[in-house]
Amino acid sequence: MNYILMAIPGFLILILLELGWARYKQLDVYRLNDSTNSLALGMISRITRILYAAIPFSFYIYAHEHFALYHWENTLWTWVFAFIVYDLGYYWNHRLGHTMNIGWASHVIHHSSEEYNLTTALRQTSIPNIVGWVFYMPLAFLGIDPVIFASVAALNLLYQFWVHTQTIKRMPNWYEAIFVTPSNHRVHHAKNKIYVDRNYGGVFIVWDRIFNTFQPELNNEPVVFGISTQLKSWNPIWGNLHFITQLMKDAWNTNNYSDKFTLWFRRTGYRPHDVEQRFPITKSNEQIEKYDSNLSKTEQWYVFTQLAINFLWVFGFLNLAANLPIQTHFIFGGVLLFSLYSLGLVQERKPWRLYCEIIKFSLVAIAMTTQLQIPTWVEFINLTAGIASCFTLYTTMRLSAHSTSQAETN
């Protein structure tokens, strides 16, 4: 049972409720560009996970079948035990993701948003964590059935969704002492020095208390969200690749051959001394101007509409994925990835965004025609919508260029 897929409509309802409540309370916690980027990254994550998630899971199944020390019966206590031990593994996996360069390369995108709301919870990576899966292998050796393991992993992730909010200040003290809450998870997403690398728990905050990584949210230290090296992009592909690209550049540019191989496994932020001197990077743990792009009302509606269309495409693809051949996975995955990349270009108002949108709708039409047996009327609606969308974007670009030209003339 795919709990995450089943929960997606609920996620959207809760996001809309939070947005409405934030507007009612006049809380400035949502921006269209930032939330769109978070949702786009989440969609790409679900697409790519289909293609590679089976690899570490296969190791788990193999270890369970050949090396399990004990086989548990499918009882409530088995699920409780598996849930607690899984969360302990998550704590160490998450901690490694923050304290080792190669782990941060996979996890950084989740922290790159400069806002904190329920869409941030869906801002997930598409870069595989090549080392973190080992923390879950003890469950295989202990004999936890792969189905139970996959289920508690999904339930753990589902729990983490609701804590990504600023609309809930504090939970009761007893709850704050045991479980991860919005307050202590806001600390985890902060870039303030006092908050950095704290509160790694997924469901239980007690691991942080036990291993001395707990930090409460302080009234006199407002949380500053984001990462110390501002992303400055709505491009979801670059968002996923920017840190690992920096590691590759550092490994190439350093003259220290030891660093070329070891910097990947050094503490997060480590850079070879010679590279740091020649190619310094500006970092900030303070509040700075948030990255944004000023879109007109028409452009905002265009972005929102295309996001909704992309969501429907992705949701439909995920529901059909189990019955589709592998080549269709790659074809649709590639088309949807390009579609969300193109949407990022629209958000950044790149000069070539219209051409990419035309290519996007063309690729969607080709993929749907060749890979799925869809009715002609559905294809006609899709084509009409694509033409109308491109015309809307073209008109908006012309009006924007005309307004800029008039402003420069005046």
Side-chain angles (χ1 to χ4, degrees), residues 135-377:
F135 293 106
Y136 304 119
M137 294 306 291
L139 283 163
F141 299 132
L142 289 171
I144 297 299
D145 186 271
V147 174
I148 296 178
F149 168 79
S151 298
V152 297
L155 293 172
N156 187 285
L157 192 61
L158 287 174
Y159 177 89
Q160 295 179 49
F161 174 76
W162 79 279
V163 300
H164 292 82
T165 183
Q166 295 184 67
T167 59
I168 299 174
K169 298 305 179 184
R170 298 273 181 172
M171 300 296 289
N173 290 339
W174 69 267
Y175 198 93
E176 293 276 353
I178 301 172
F179 297 101
V180 173
T181 66
S183 176
N184 55 52
H185 200 64
R186 284 193 291 269
V187 167
H188 177 70
H189 273 259
K191 65 177 183 177
N192 316 51
K193 287 185 178 180
I194 193 173
Y195 294 146
V196 170
D197 293 340
R198 297 295 181 195
N199 300 0
Y200 297 113
V203 173
F204 301 109
I205 201 67
V206 291
W207 310 125
D208 291 281
R209 296 181 184 277
I210 292 171
F211 299 114
N212 199 32
T213 53
F214 176 72
Q215 170 62 52
E217 186 176 20
L218 305 175
N219 293 329
N220 61 348
E221 183 72 25
V223 172
V224 179
F225 299 108
I227 52 179
S228 59
T229 51
Q230 195 177 27
L231 183 58
K232 294 184 179 180
S233 175
W234 304 128
N235 181 340
I237 296 178
W238 177 244
N240 273 291
L241 297 178
H242 77 280
F243 188 76
I244 199 168
T245 301
Q246 186 60 56
L247 291 178
M248 293 171 67
K249 287 181 178 179
D250 288 352
W252 177 265
N253 288 322
T254 184
N255 295 318
N256 186 324
Y257 282 92
S258 175
D259 274 336
K260 288 180 182 293
F261 299 100
T262 63
L263 73 85
W264 305 87
F265 306 99
R266 303 289 284 269
R267 186 168 182 84
T268 299
Y270 171 82
R271 303 183 72 211
H273 182 67
D274 58 335
V275 172
E276 189 118 49
Q277 285 189 321
R278 287 184 289 152
F279 308 102
I281 295 177
T282 302
K283 297 182 179 182
S284 174
N285 294 93
E286 307 297 328
Q287 181 68 68
I288 57 178
E289 184 179 357
K290 296 176 181 178
Y291 173 75
D292 208 350
S293 47
N294 295 319
L295 302 179
S296 66
K297 288 292 184 183
T298 304
E299 288 172 314
Q300 291 177 26
W301 275 108
Y302 183 87
V303 168
F304 178 79
T305 303
Q306 293 306 308
L307 178 68
I309 292 172
N310 274 279
F311 169 78
L312 292 174
W313 287 342
V314 171
F315 189 65
F317 171 68
L318 294 176
N319 275 285
L320 295 172
N323 301 315
L324 296 175
I326 190 64
Q327 69 270 15
T328 304
H329 281 192
F330 280 97
I331 291 171
F332 265 89
V335 171
L336 291 170
L337 181 64
F338 182 83
S339 178
L340 292 166
Y341 162 75
S342 183
L343 184 61
L345 297 181
V346 173
Q347 290 177 264
E348 294 180 356
R349 307 185 78 178
K350 296 293 187 184
W352 57 90
R353 61 192 183 279
L354 175 61
Y355 304 110
C356 283
E357 286 291 277
I358 293 172
I359 294 172
K360 174 189 80 175
F361 282 106
S362 301
L363 290 175
V364 169
I366 293 170
M368 293 181 69
T369 302
T370 59
Q371 299 299 313
L372 299 177
Q373 294 181 349
I374 59 171
T376 304
W377 65 271

Side-chain angles (χ1 to χ4, degrees), residues 18-213:
E18 183 191 44
L19 175 60
W21 182 255
R23 291 288 177 87
Y24 174 71
K25 289 292 186 178
Q26 297 182 333
L27 301 175
D28 187 20
V29 297
Y30 271 91
R31 285 184 297 142
L32 176 66
N33 282 329
D34 187 89
S35 294
T36 297
N37 194 235
S38 291
L39 293 173
L41 287 159
M43 285 187 270
I44 293 174
S45 173
R46 300 318 302 175
I47 295 168
T48 54
R49 201 169 293 266
I50 292 176
L51 303 177
Y52 70 73
I55 298 174
F57 192 56
S58 297
F59 286 120
Y60 185 95
I61 294 174
Y62 182 84
H64 177 264
E65 290 179 350
H66 294 86
F67 303 106
L69 301 175
Y70 178 78
H71 290 283
W72 298 65
E73 293 184 10
N74 190 353
T75 66
L76 174 61
W77 293 112
T78 299
W79 282 73
V80 170
F81 174 79
F83 189 83
I84 293 172
V85 176
Y86 178 90
D87 197 63
L88 176 59
Y90 178 88
Y91 168 87
W92 286 107
N93 175 25
H94 196 184
R95 185 167 175 172
L96 184 73
H98 278 260
T99 53
M100 183 185 290
N101 270 332
I102 191 65
W104 187 238
S106 172
H107 189 57
V108 60
I109 192 60
H110 181 60
H111 286 260
S112 61
S113 173
E114 294 177 296
E115 303 296 343
Y116 191 78
N117 52 57
L118 291 178
T119 66
T120 311
L122 305 180
R123 191 183 188 94
Q124 297 294 328
T125 184
S126 297
I127 305 297
N129 186 337
I130 63 173
V131 293
W133 60 273
V134 299
F135 293 106
Y136 304 119
M137 294 306 291
L139 283 163
F141 299 132
L142 289 171
I144 297 299
D145 186 271
V147 174
I148 296 178
F149 168 79
S151 298
V152 297
L155 293 172
N156 187 285
L157 192 61
L158 287 174
Y159 177 89
Q160 295 179 49
F161 174 76
W162 79 279
V163 300
H164 292 82
T165 183
Q166 295 184 67
T167 59
I168 299 174
K169 298 305 179 184
R170 298 273 181 172
M171 300 296 289
N173 290 339
W174 69 267
Y175 198 93
E176 293 276 353
I178 301 172
F179 297 101
V180 173
T181 66
S183 176
N184 55 52
H185 200 64
R186 284 193 291 269
V187 167
H188 177 70
H189 273 259
K191 65 177 183 177
N192 316 51
K193 287 185 178 180
I194 193 173
Y195 294 146
V196 170
D197 293 340
R198 297 295 181 195
N199 300 0
Y200 297 113
V203 173
F204 301 109
I205 201 67
V206 291
W207 310 125
D208 291 281
R209 296 181 184 277
I210 292 171
F211 299 114
N212 199 32
T213 53

